[in-house]
Amino acid sequence: MTYKAEYIWIDGTEPTAKLRSKTKVLADGAEPPLWGFDGSSTNQATGHSSDLVLKPVFTCPDPIRGGDNVLVLCEVLHTDMTPHASNTRSPLAEVAERFADQDPWFGIEQEYTFFKEGRPLGFPLGGFPAPQGGYYCGVGADEVFGRDIVELHLDRCLAAGLKISGINAEVMPGQWEFQVGPGGPLEVGDHMWVARWLLYRTAEEFDVAATLDPKPVKGDWNGAGAHTNFSTKAMREGYDPIITACEALADNAMEHVKNYGHGIEDRLTGHHETAPWDKFSYGVSDRGASVRIPWQVEVDKKGYIEDRRPNANVDPYVVTRLMVDTCCTALEKAGQV
């Protein structure tokens, strides 16, 4: 007897990496082993030295094939077992281990847009729909597009055991969001990458493309982000560490912005619920700030912060690494751990 293991990895495409996958048939009871692939076909190697290694790091049930079949998320290694340059999970693992005592948690809000025949789902041929306003969390065939895909994706994420915590229709037609978390840095990153793969794979069955383009339609339309909620044990217990974390993000604002996804200047304009990409700010209940402190956090004097800057196409391993490194270093220096 056998089962199928779908090996999933992140390639070396620039400026935004893509997901790749292929199937390995394994004997029942066998653990998914190391495997290989042609890195010259994924922008990760040259033809004269093309072999790269897939190292399984996270396995979950395959909700598409069902049965005993599994999805296997992998890191990419060289044949000497060192991390490939495109492997952003490995440096996150080092930072997460260094600050594990602070118990950092994340929740990432993944926005995305459905496209069909070259235009967002719900956009009429050769024109535009009614201005945005009624689409956010909307209901009805005149305001919501793609719900059947979204519901199936949610069911599949739940069947896979992913930490998906909600879905909603977003501000632009054909635009949706799902949330992953709360969880630790590596866990949230692993679950997000698999949830993205399931989104693409599910939309494929409807002949629809799901895109993480941060500004899918120019003009007076909202972009697509990946708002990142963050806390440490100290932040969940007191307000002073929350301010320390915000100030640390201010001090490192440009380093974060340049790693928060390609095309960030197109989305972070100061309009459409964003702060300008080159001006950092934080505030309570302010969706026009770079970092929002939720109103109930100020009332309770403890909780979390929301970094509103990351693009929809951000690498979750990168944003979590940067936030842990920046905020936890500052909290450690302040003795707020």
Side-chain angles (χ1 to χ4, degrees):
M1 299 294 290
T2 59
Y3 73 97
K4 302 169 192 169
E6 188 71 14
Y7 278 60
I8 301 167
W9 74 98
I10 299 125
D11 77 359
T13 301
E14 294 181 348
T16 302
K18 296 182 179 182
L19 282 166
R20 308 278 182 146
S21 71
K22 62 177 183 171
T23 306
K24 190 173 187 66
V25 177
L26 296 169
D28 278 356
E31 291 294 318
L34 295 176
W35 202 15
F37 70 98
D38 171 16
S40 68
S41 297
T42 63
N43 302 303
Q44 289 169 297
T46 56
H48 69 274
S49 182
S50 63
D51 287 338
L52 290 174
V53 177
L54 294 174
K55 174 189 173 184
V57 292
F58 172 67
T59 302
C60 65
D62 184 339
I64 298 175
R65 287 172 168 153
D68 294 328
N69 302 303
V70 295
L71 303 178
V72 183
L73 183 66
C74 301
E75 286 189 14
V76 176
L77 308 178
H78 292 287
T79 53
D80 64 1
M81 299 300 123
T82 58
H84 187 269
S86 64
N87 180 345
T88 55
R89 188 182 189 275
S90 180
L92 166 61
E94 296 175 8
V95 171
E97 182 178 2
R98 191 188 332 148
F99 292 108
D101 289 348
Q102 292 196 40
D103 196 18
W105 290 0
F106 286 90
I108 300 179
E109 306 169 22
Q110 178 69 73
E111 296 177 345
Y112 60 93
T113 310
F114 288 133
F115 269 73
K116 188 175 179 67
E117 297 176 347
R119 61 186 185 277
L121 207 61
F123 273 55
L125 182 64
F128 291 89
Q132 58 189 30
Y135 307 108
Y136 173 72
C137 295
V139 63
D142 57 338
E143 294 189 337
V144 174
F145 309 93
R147 192 186 296 276
D148 47 355
I149 310 173
V150 172
E151 292 288 345
L152 181 55
H153 174 249
L154 173 61
D155 288 344
R156 286 176 169 177
C157 286
L158 291 170
L162 303 183
K163 279 196 167 181
I164 190 165
S165 49
I167 57 171
N168 61 269
E170 266 301 333
V171 175
M172 192 181 81
Q175 194 176 73
W176 291 81
E177 173 183 302
F178 65 87
Q179 302 94 35
V180 170
L186 285 167
E187 180 182 43
V188 162
D190 291 345
H191 287 219
M192 178 59 77
W193 276 115
V194 174
R196 285 176 172 180
W197 185 90
L198 282 170
L199 175 66
Y200 301 144
R201 180 64 180 77
T202 300
E204 179 185 311
E205 296 174 15
F206 294 80
D207 196 26
V208 168
T211 175
L212 305 185
D213 189 323
K215 191 68 175 179
V217 180
K218 306 302 182 186
D220 193 20
W221 300 95
N222 272 35
H227 302 152
T228 301
N229 300 286
F230 170 74
S231 70
T232 65
K233 183 175 184 291
M235 294 166 68
R236 295 189 291 272
E237 295 176 349
Y239 198 70
D240 287 345
I242 288 171
I243 300 303
T244 298
C246 289
E247 291 290 343
L249 291 170
D251 291 340
N252 294 273
M254 294 313 298
E255 179 190 359
H256 283 242
V257 163
K258 72 181 182 182
N259 288 288
Y260 274 6
H262 179 69
I264 203 160
E265 299 92 341
D266 294 332
R267 176 176 150 264
L268 297 185
T269 61
H271 303 288
H272 306 109
E273 300 180 295
T274 69
W277 67 271
D278 57 349
K279 294 180 181 177
F280 182 88
S281 60
Y282 68 90
V284 175
S285 198
D286 186 356
R287 282 181 165 76
S290 308
V291 173
R292 179 179 67 96
I293 301 172
W295 68 270
Q296 73 270 23
V297 172
E298 185 187 44
V299 171
D300 296 341
K301 299 302 178 187
K302 60 182 180 181
Y304 67 98
I305 58 176
E306 178 195 46
D307 193 334
R308 298 181 56 79
R309 296 171 295 169
N311 270 354
N313 59 1
V314 73
D315 183 339
Y317 295 142
V318 172
V319 66
T320 54
R321 174 179 57 81
L322 287 170
M323 292 193 74
V324 169
D325 202 2
T326 293
C327 297
C328 290
T329 297
L331 290 167
E332 190 173 73
K333 288 180 180 178
Q336 296 171 333
V337 295

